[in-house]
Amino acid sequence: MSTVQFVHCRDCAELFRPSPLDRAPEFRLTEDGVVAEVRDDCMAFLTRHARHVLETLRATGTPPAYTGPVSDPMTSTTWEVSNGDQSCLVQSWRTSLSEPLRYRIVPGRLIADPVSVEIASDEIRADVDRALYPGTAPDRKLDAFVARFKAVAWDLDPATLEIVYDLSGDPTLSVAKLPAWARERLAASAREIFDRADAGRIVARLSDTLGDPEAFTVLLRQGVRVE
């Protein structure tokens, strides 16, 4: 179940997102030194709207949509949420780095596109180079191996792949491991394309993929759009 939820005041159309940091003290510098001011943001919101109609909105299973990298504090996030009966969208935004995130309800719904597999050809070539280091492989052999890699990748079922990590620079992309059968097919291809010594090094690196999340991986793209 998603941990993203909001308290919505139906009378004022205000939103509050509860967080473990709601009770974090606020430190102020005074003439007597640093003073910690106790605060409880969630209780302050509930007290302010005590006589109003409140409801809890919880994120649905649809992935959120972003306007930029997750690491960028100015990136706006849109979640699809539900009160149990109806669904709507909640969007975060801020106009400057000096202000906290604010939230508002916006019309529409989120549409998650089918997950697709993408191949970073330069990364695959680099993986082969690292396996052969300090040797190098001719471009024709590298091109042939990349072509075989792509042929294997097109047979992958994105839903069955194990995600290693998400890319912070692009929230629509994740890095995923190759399953054992795919590594075996690539090992066979390496033996056909490269000489015995080089093929052995590449096969060894393919076998170590589980211990090296950066080696011989694919990209999974999950596009989400507001409709």
Side-chain angles (χ1 to χ4, degrees), residues 142-166:
L142 288 173
D143 291 341
F145 185 79
V146 169
R148 296 286 187 93
F149 193 101
K150 290 181 178 180
V152 170
W154 302 150
D155 290 335
L156 297 174
D157 180 358
T160 65
L161 300 184
E162 180 183 352
I163 294 177
V164 181
Y165 58 87
D166 298 324

Side-chain angles (χ1 to χ4, degrees), residues 145 182-192 199 202-203 206-207:
F145 185 79
R183 295 197 304 274
E184 291 171 1
R185 280 179 56 180
L186 288 171
S189 295
R191 295 187 183 98
E192 294 177 6
I202 295 170
V203 170
L206 279 165
S207 301

Side-chain angles (χ1 to χ4, degrees), residues 71-88:
S71 57
D72 185 348
M74 296 301 293
T75 291
S76 174
T77 305
T78 301
W79 297 267
E80 185 176 84
V81 298
S82 172
N83 61 4
D85 295 322
Q86 297 178 319
S87 297
C88 62

Side-chain angles (χ1 to χ4, degrees), residues 36-222:
E37 182 177 317
V38 178
R39 36 183 269 186
D40 189 332
D41 296 337
C42 185
M43 183 56 65
F45 180 89
L46 295 177
T47 301
R48 198 162 62 248
H49 300 273
R51 297 180 180 276
H52 299 172
V53 179
L54 301 177
E55 65 179 353
T56 300
L57 302 177
R58 291 183 174 85
T60 65
T62 304
Y66 304 92
T67 59
V70 177
S71 57
D72 185 348
M74 296 301 293
T75 291
S76 174
T77 305
T78 301
W79 297 267
E80 185 176 84
V81 298
S82 172
N83 61 4
D85 295 322
Q86 297 178 319
S87 297
C88 62
L89 299 182
V90 169
Q91 183 183 71
S92 70
W93 93 100
R94 56 160 55 101
T95 56
S96 70
L97 291 175
S98 61
E99 69 173 32
L101 278 174
R102 292 186 285 174
Y103 305 94
R104 59 193 170 197
I105 291 179
V106 296
R109 60 174 181 158
L110 291 182
I111 304 297
D113 297 325
V115 179
S116 60
V117 176
E118 297 185 3
I119 310 300
S121 298
D122 290 344
E123 289 298 323
I124 302 306
R125 294 170 68 96
D127 285 334
V128 174
D129 282 338
R130 283 190 287 268
L132 301 183
Y133 183 81
T136 58
D139 285 340
R140 60 181 178 81
K141 291 188 176 183
L142 288 173
D143 291 341
F145 185 79
V146 169
R148 296 286 187 93
F149 193 101
K150 290 181 178 180
V152 170
W154 302 150
D155 290 335
L156 297 174
D157 180 358
T160 65
L161 300 184
E162 180 183 352
I163 294 177
V164 181
Y165 58 87
D166 298 324
L167 294 180
S168 59
D170 187 343
T172 68
L173 284 178
S174 301
V175 176
K177 295 179 180 178
L178 291 174
W181 67 262
R183 295 197 304 274
E184 291 171 1
R185 280 179 56 180
L186 288 171
S189 295
R191 295 187 183 98
E192 294 177 6
I193 297 171
F194 299 90
D195 60 38
R196 179 177 298 182
D198 286 350
R201 295 188 184 97
I202 295 170
V203 170
R205 188 164 181 82
L206 279 165
S207 301
D208 292 339
T209 298
L210 291 177
D212 182 2
E214 300 292 339
F216 297 112
T217 53
V218 295
L219 297 173
L220 297 182
R221 185 175 293 279
Q222 172 65 81

